[in-house]
Amino acid sequence: LADDAPFSMDRYQREHIHDHDVSITPWDNSSRTLTFTHPIKNSMGVGPLEARTKRTQRLRKYSKGLILENTTRIQGIPAADSFTVQDMWIIETCGDDSITISTKYAPIFTKRSFLKSVIEKSIKRETTSWFAGYTEMLQDASARDSDETNDEIVLVHKPATSNSDDATLRLIESVRSLYPLVVMGLLVL
């Protein structure tokens, strides 16, 4: 998550997701912004081929790890003004040689849309695919690093999705109230 991390999110967006026009601001008061243009896989050949995306990230540190909150807004697709995507990562140390990354996400609808079910399915597919690929990139990097250092690093992906916008928001708000620490500068586990 550090600004200069060798296996960073912006590298993942460019090299694995094949996003373009990727820009990421440095961490400032535990927040930063990623913007990118994301290709849209369109099986029916109808609709836009890409979407401009802005993801705002907030990071909090607590005794056993980090909490990363993301709010994503998409432009250039039908009904883009009717929702945002909120997700939260809980990154915890589990002993000396492993971490657990748990995720929770939900589309948050700000107004009605007849495309709600299509949007929800698309968000679930994209979020699951993105996180699985990002986890795989980190595992590959850890495996290469452990070959050089003889340390074993294990990343465990435990997705936790929710169909309930209210439950996700309550969870995010409870985490915000429990862990109000602000992380400044470069972030290291």
Side-chain angles (χ1 to χ4, degrees):
L1 296 177
D3 289 334
D4 60 352
F7 295 96
S8 62
M9 285 187 187
D10 59 332
R11 178 179 178 181
Y12 177 69
Q13 296 289 132
R14 285 186 184 97
E15 295 178 9
H16 296 270
I17 302 295
H18 305 292
D19 290 341
H20 57 93
D21 301 326
V22 178
S23 173
I24 186 168
T25 63
W27 286 104
D28 181 28
N29 292 324
S30 75
S31 65
R32 71 177 179 185
T33 303
L34 288 84
T35 55
F36 50 92
T37 302
H38 182 67
I40 297 174
K41 297 174 183 131
N42 194 336
S43 61
M44 297 182 358
V46 179
L49 299 176
E50 59 186 24
R52 191 71 184 147
T53 306
K54 179 179 180 180
R55 179 175 297 136
T56 304
Q57 297 185 310
R58 291 177 40 155
L59 188 68
R60 305 204 187 271
K61 186 175 183 179
Y62 69 103
S63 61
K64 290 179 71 178
L66 303 168
I67 296 172
L68 179 67
E69 300 171 13
N70 296 293
T71 300
T72 304
R73 290 176 170 72
I74 303 166
Q75 300 173 338
I77 62 168
D81 62 342
S82 67
F83 71 97
T84 62
V85 180
Q86 291 189 354
D87 63 89
M88 180 175 56
W89 300 13
I90 300 172
I91 306 165
E92 297 179 287
T93 59
C94 300
D96 294 334
D97 63 353
S98 67
I99 64 171
T100 299
I101 304 173
S102 303
T103 62
K104 188 146 185 96
Y105 67 90
I108 307 301
F109 288 88
T110 56
K111 62 183 182 180
R112 292 179 190 227
S113 173
F114 69 93
L115 297 172
K116 183 176 180 177
S117 66
V118 172
I119 292 167
E120 289 173 331
K121 287 176 186 173
S122 177
I123 289 169
K124 181 178 182 178
R125 181 180 61 251
E126 288 280 332
T127 302
T128 302
S129 173
W130 190 98
F131 193 78
Y134 187 69
T135 303
E136 184 178 325
M137 180 188 77
L138 293 178
Q139 287 173 325
D140 290 346
S142 295
R144 277 184 255 139
D145 188 46
S146 67
D147 288 344
E148 295 171 12
T149 63
N150 295 325
D151 292 335
E152 182 180 348
I153 299 172
V154 179
L155 298 177
V156 180
H157 171 116
K158 294 183 179 179
T161 61
S162 171
N163 294 330
S164 168
D165 299 345
D166 293 337
T168 300
L169 288 175
R170 282 193 305 274
L171 178 60
I172 289 171
E173 288 306 315
S174 67
V175 168
R176 283 183 182 157
S177 66
L178 290 173
Y179 307 108
L181 299 175
V182 176
V183 176
M184 305 293 272
L186 294 179
L187 308 164
V188 178
L189 270 177

